Amino acid sequence: MSTPDLGGVVVATALPYRDDASAHAGLAVDYDAYAAHCRWLVDNGCRGVGPNGSLGEYSSLTDEERRRVARTAIETVGNDGIVVVGVHGPGSHQAKYWAEVAAEDGADGLLCLPPTMYRANRGEVLAHFEAVASVGLPVMVYNNPIDTKVDLTPALLAEIAQIDNVVAVKEFSGDVRRVLEIREQAPGLDVISGADDVVLESLLMGATGWFAGFPNVFPAESVRLFDLARSGKLDEARALYEPLVAAFRWDSRTEFVQAIKLGMDLVGRYGGPCRPPRGPLTEEHREQVTADMRRALASLGVA
């Protein structure tokens, strides 16, 4: 039996809200706008979408909202792409619950952080992923040591890769040396680039996918960059990538959700506001994101 594949350009989808005084923080999830956004991404060549990630503000949603967001993505994408649902949780029982719900609703795969809000040890990390993987869907574990304080090192990933149904790692450490180290120590594990500002470097070192933020803004161009890199067309890939990197760097900053949503606004899509704890960008950050986006747009012939 072939190993399930969660590679390609899968977009960690931003979540639109509409003003509603009766909703949490005065912002209600706009499911229709979200469905339209998921469809736009797939229609522009992206392999799939990833609802309920950090970019999707999963931790600011109610349980009902969180499930409906994933269902909206699954129903919208249908057979035209894959949906990799974020099932992050403080403990394995919560993450497993979200995995079971995703399986019931028809997800193609799962994206899972180590335990959130707790610096888990090796045994706890393994138990966490074992619980999620036991549900039976393909699992992409997510290494984000910046936010979780848990580093899924190549040596630890070699152990995690032995768990049935764990098929990939979203690598967000920012250290491109990890790509080859993971391939050496866990050769059966697909390495997926998780940080937009090292995506070209990661793909050239053998990453097979991009679980991406800024393709919310530039989906067709991002797919083209991915295809050029995977085809070894380095000169063309670099020419496309270099003017975009300043914008892409925001994907690795604390304000990445607000920055990507502003980028969407600047290209005529709807990004809009964020729920707490994320507030609006400072004026300095707004000006810098705008300047970085204008450079990117000019290079693409959009500005």
Side-chain angles (χ1 to χ4, degrees):
M1 187 173 72
S2 63
T3 302
D5 172 23
L6 300 181
V9 179
V10 177
V11 185
T13 44
L15 188 65
Y17 300 103
R18 54 180 173 78
D19 291 332
D20 183 341
S22 66
H24 297 281
L27 295 169
V29 177
D30 191 332
Y31 297 101
D32 290 341
Y34 181 64
H37 184 56
C38 290
R39 171 48 53 188
W40 180 69
L41 294 172
V42 172
D43 287 348
N44 273 273
C46 297
R47 176 148 188 248
V49 298
N52 292 335
S54 303
L55 182 53
E57 301 176 68
Y58 78 92
S59 58
S60 297
L61 303 178
T62 66
D63 285 359
E64 180 183 4
E65 289 171 332
R66 184 170 172 176
R67 184 169 192 177
R68 187 173 171 188
V69 165
R71 278 179 167 170
T72 299
I74 292 164
E75 292 167 2
T76 300
V77 171
N79 295 323
D80 296 328
I82 63 172
V83 179
V84 183
V85 177
V87 297
H88 321 303
S92 58
H93 56 301
Q94 290 119 320
K96 183 179 179 182
Y97 166 77
W98 287 115
E100 291 169 341
V101 165
E104 288 175 15
D105 292 340
D108 298 289
L110 309 172
L111 177 69
C112 188
L113 284 164
T116 59
M117 300 190 293
Y118 172 71
R119 189 176 295 183
N121 64 31
R122 169 190 163 277
E124 291 162 342
V125 168
L126 290 170
H128 188 82
F129 290 129
E130 285 169 353
V132 170
S134 72
V135 172
L137 286 178
V139 177
M140 181 188 301
V141 301
Y142 183 2
N143 185 37
N144 187 341
I146 300 163
D147 290 338
T148 66
K149 310 304 179 188
V150 177
D151 189 2
L152 304 182
T153 63
L156 181 52
L157 284 169
E159 295 187 78
I160 294 169
Q162 301 305 309
I163 300 170
D164 287 345
N165 299 316
V166 172
V167 301
V169 56
K170 176 181 177 181
E171 170 47 37
F172 192 77
S173 70
D175 183 355
V176 295
R177 293 173 297 186
R178 290 283 183 96
V179 178
L180 287 178
E181 290 175 7
I182 294 166
R183 292 180 64 204
E184 290 164 4
Q185 297 193 43
L189 199 65
D190 286 340
V191 181
I192 308 299
S193 178
D196 292 356
D197 56 339
V198 291
V199 63
L200 179 57
E201 296 89 334
S202 298
L203 291 170
L204 293 175
M205 289 298 100
T208 58
W210 179 12
F211 209 101
F214 262 92
N216 280 283
V217 183
F218 311 119
E221 296 81 3
S222 297
V223 171
R224 181 165 176 261
L225 174 62
F226 178 85
D227 289 342
L228 289 170
R230 290 286 290 163
S231 300
K233 298 179 179 177
L234 181 55
D235 289 343
E236 292 176 69
R238 283 183 59 184
L240 178 57
Y241 181 58
E242 288 178 10
L244 305 181
V245 166
F248 281 3
R249 289 190 187 113
W250 287 95
D251 181 57
S252 297
R253 294 176 180 168
T254 302
E255 305 83 6
F256 73 106
V257 181
Q258 299 96 315
I260 289 170
K261 283 190 165 186
L262 175 55
M264 293 167 67
D265 290 333
L266 291 170
V267 296
R269 305 298 300 173
Y270 176 71
C274 299
R275 271 187 181 167
R278 294 176 178 86
L281 291 168
T282 65
E283 190 57 36
E284 179 184 359
H285 283 163
R286 174 173 285 273
E287 289 176 359
Q288 189 60 58
V289 173
T290 300
D292 294 338
M293 278 293 302
R294 283 179 177 156
R295 181 186 176 204
L297 292 171
S299 76
L300 298 172
V302 177

